[in-house]
Amino acid sequence: RGLGLTTFPVEIYTIPSITALHLDDNYLQALPPSLERLTALTELSVTNLQLQSLPFVLGAMTGLTDLRLTASRTMSNPPYEIVVQGTEVLLEFIKKSYQCVRR
């Protein structure tokens, strides 16, 4: 939290068994699609970042049950109206979006 990160720390991939990742309060503008490599991840917190969208591949992460994201009207995916409805609705939206992109 709050480490002044401007890019995603790729060193995280050396810990494939990581279950929780908190990237809050940094300067990240994007999350890499390769995030799906963290197959054990159940909790992802990305609050207070400068994200414009989330990668669709998050919808493929079937173990992800807790996704925390700051609602922003400038974010294109997922839309503000989805984020403010909470984690369950947010995760469902991301999973459905991923399925649509994969078709």
Side-chain angles (χ1 to χ4, degrees):
R1 288 187 159 199
L3 299 173
L5 299 174
T6 57
T7 59
F8 185 81
V10 294
E11 296 81 9
I12 288 175
Y13 295 127
T14 63
I15 315 168
S17 61
I18 191 169
T19 59
L21 181 57
H22 295 256
L23 297 169
D24 311 304
D25 304 313
N26 282 291
Y27 302 102
L28 299 175
Q29 294 182 355
L31 296 176
S34 55
L35 197 60
E36 72 176 323
R37 291 173 34 196
L38 301 175
T39 56
L41 201 65
T42 60
E43 179 182 333
L44 177 61
S45 185
V46 289
T47 61
N48 300 321
L49 300 181
Q50 299 171 6
L51 299 176
Q52 296 301 309
S53 68
L54 292 179
F56 285 106
V57 296
L58 288 182
M61 299 175 72
T62 56
L64 190 62
T65 57
D66 187 4
L67 176 58
R68 292 184 216 130
L69 173 68
T70 303
S72 169
R73 293 202 183 271
T74 61
M75 183 173 272
S76 60
N77 178 55
Y80 174 85
E81 295 77 18
I82 297 295
V83 178
V84 296
Q85 292 183 55
T87 300
E88 191 174 317
V89 172
L90 176 57
L91 287 171
E92 185 63 27
F93 175 85
I94 289 172
K95 288 176 184 175
K96 284 182 180 177
S97 297
Y98 175 74
Q99 290 168 355
C100 288
V101 170
R102 297 280 301 168
R103 290 183 182 161

